[in-house]
Structure formats: C-alpha cells, structure tokens
Amino acid sequence: MRVLIAGGGVAGTVAAMALQRAGHEPVVYEAHPSGGADAGAFLVVMHNGMNALRAIDADTPVIEASFPSTGMELVGPDGTTLGAHEFDRELDGPRTLTRAALYRALQQEAERRGVEIVHGKRLVSATDGVTATFQDGTTASGDVLVGADGLHSVVRTLIDPQAEPPRFTGLTVVYGYTRAEGLPAAQGSYRMFRGSRAAFGYTTDPDGATFWFARVPDSERSRAEIAAVTPEGWREFTHAAFADDPLPCAAIVAATGDDVHGGHSYDLPTTRVWSTPSMVLAGDAAHAASPAAGQGASMALEDAVVLGQCLRDLPDAPAAFAAYDRLRRARVEKLVAASAGQDVGEERGWAYRHHLDWTARITA
C-alpha cells in the first residue's frame, strides 16, 4: 500500500518508519524546506514516548540528541518547595531536546531506512482517491493519506469540514535558553514554579545551559501580532509576569539574550471524526494538548506506532482506521483533559507506564 503522509514532524516521520516496517510504502511530504519548523521550542519525550520509539527500534537517535532528567521539584510563589517527584528509573525518559533536533534525528533515521521525505510540499487539498495537491501545484497519488499536519491540519478539515477548530487555552508559552553564569542550576531535573501570575520551569543541560519555559495567562492575539513580537518583547512580557515573586524566574529571563521564542497555546479536546475510508489523522492533527503535561510528542509517537500496527494486521484501511480510533481515542482525550487542568503530572503513571509491543497483533 502506498501511503502519503502530510507532515514530517514527530507523528508523520515515525508513522512512516512504522508503516515501512509493516510492509507498506510511505512517502512523507513536509511543508517546510527543512526539518526545523518551530525550531525555537524545546520539548520532553516522556517515558511512554521513548517506549513507542523503542517498539520500532528508533529510540537511539533521540537518546543521542537529547539529555535526561531524573526528577521534578515543585516550588510555590513564596519559594517554598511544595513537593518533589523522582522519575521511574526503570523506564527510559524523560529526554529533553529542541523540537528542531528531534525532527532532524527522526528524519535522518527515517531516510537511513530508505523512507522518502519530500520537503517544501504544503498540502492544500486531497481527493478520496487519494490524490494530494500541494501549494506549489504538484500532486501525488497513493492508496491512503495520513494527516500528520499538526494543529491547523488541512486533512482534519478534509475529513470533516465541520470539525471544531483548535481552542485557545488562555496561555502564551515562552521558551528561552541562556548560558549566563551564576544562575541556580537544576542539573538533571526540572524545577517547576507556581508564581503568583504565571508558571515557570527550567532545567540545566550537561553543558551548563539553562533551558526555561513560562506559561503566562494572556488574551488571544492574531498570528500576525504574535509573529511580530521580538525577542526583547518576549523577554519583557515574561519578566513582567514574575517581577513581583521572590523566585529566580525573573533573573533567569533577564539573563537571556535573543534566544527566546513565544506563541499561544491551543488544544483540541476532541475531534469528532478521525478518518474516512482513505484518510486518517495522527498526532496534533487529531488531539493537540496544552503543554502542561509534556505529553504532546509522546502521544504522537504512540499514535504513529499503533497506526502502523493497525495497517499491518487488518485487511483494509477502513478496518485499520476503526481499530486505531478504538485503541487511541479514550487515552489521548483523557490526556488532553488532564493537560487542560495544568496538572504537571506527578501521579500520571497511567500515561508514563504505557507499553507498546510491536509484535502484538491488532484485531478488529
């Protein structure tokens, strides 16, 4: 089966590797000219995400491009430690890396395996046939189309023109990196702060760089307005959210140069229809979550592997897509709901301990 995949991010690239392993012929069409879309953000691949990668022997490139964390400390607005949580060391994860580094690692591994990835191909429409049409006027034909094209998915609206749009969570998320000396280190762990106005977290990589993020309550602005914010603007916006708290957050922000990036946070609490007989959604296209639980990439990785198993074991695409929906929907919607509550997830063993076995057979 020739499988067209719209989107060369986490879900699309790993789905291609899983589908290839399942005996199909995947081709990835990536909108961006390189794999560095949203390069400014960093993310965490949690235990369950690493487990999904391991199911198709694709975990090593991500391990090599990332650094581990062993635990988390939660700090209140007055600087008092509210709790600490050590990650289960029997499980591999969490791993921290930039989004661009994750895309590069996965795409390079997919290409090493012989998966074709075509850059500069932004999907604009598709027929049930399946013939996909791209922004540059070119087309491609296949048996099925996987919509791994993210939060603002074109494939989602092709499957269901009445699909609910992404929901603004009321938060703007800012990411920054600094090598400034004298900052409090969080080597091998995450320090999470509940400030009086906003939430903040940071960790220190093995080379001494501070990776930080802030989730700041905000009103929704247009994409053009967000794109126009300068690094200085993001620093000022974030610094103001923590200026009155006796916490190191404002000092970390002030010590950051131009390596700071921001944007609104959106989620998709539910997507009514995940598939047609020839099209199916994966990752953020189906179920985007607030970043509070750090599970967006991991759930996309799980999707990719399970979709590969379903298309391997069931007799046709409609049956495979129905099984995939049955196996994935309840789990991901529970995660989206938990993330919307901004629970950082100390007790979320049900998510972290999820195990995928590539050899397990999927039945209808």
Side-chain angles (χ1 to χ4, degrees), residues 230-315:
T230 63
E232 180 182 8
W234 286 124
R235 285 197 308 273
E236 292 176 352
F237 171 81
T238 310
H239 189 276
F242 299 98
D244 298 329
D245 294 330
L247 301 171
C249 313
I252 292 172
V253 174
T256 302
D258 287 344
D259 208 354
V260 55
H261 317 264
H264 286 334
S265 170
Y266 293 85
D267 68 6
L268 277 172
T270 186
T271 298
R272 293 179 304 174
V273 185
W274 281 24
S275 65
T276 69
S278 59
M279 301 183 194
V280 67
L281 302 174
D284 281 357
H287 50 75
S290 158
Q295 277 283 347
S298 296
M299 289 290 171
L301 291 166
E302 290 181 15
D303 280 359
V305 174
V306 174
L307 181 59
Q309 291 177 299
C310 291
L311 282 167
R312 176 195 65 191
D313 295 341
L314 294 170

Side-chain angles (χ1 to χ4, degrees), residues 304-362:
V305 174
V306 174
L307 181 59
Q309 291 177 299
C310 291
L311 282 167
R312 176 195 65 191
D313 295 341
L314 294 170
D316 54 38
F321 297 162
Y324 166 71
D325 188 310
R326 171 176 56 83
L327 292 168
R328 297 298 299 154
R329 181 181 288 273
R331 175 170 168 78
V332 297
E333 290 185 353
K334 180 179 179 180
L335 189 281
V336 173
S339 294
Q342 298 180 44
D343 168 15
V344 294
E346 294 95 330
E347 304 300 328
R348 200 166 293 147
W350 64 268
Y352 300 154
R353 288 192 161 274
H354 190 67
H355 176 68
L356 293 176
D357 179 1
W358 180 254
T359 65
R361 308 302 292 181
I362 305 297

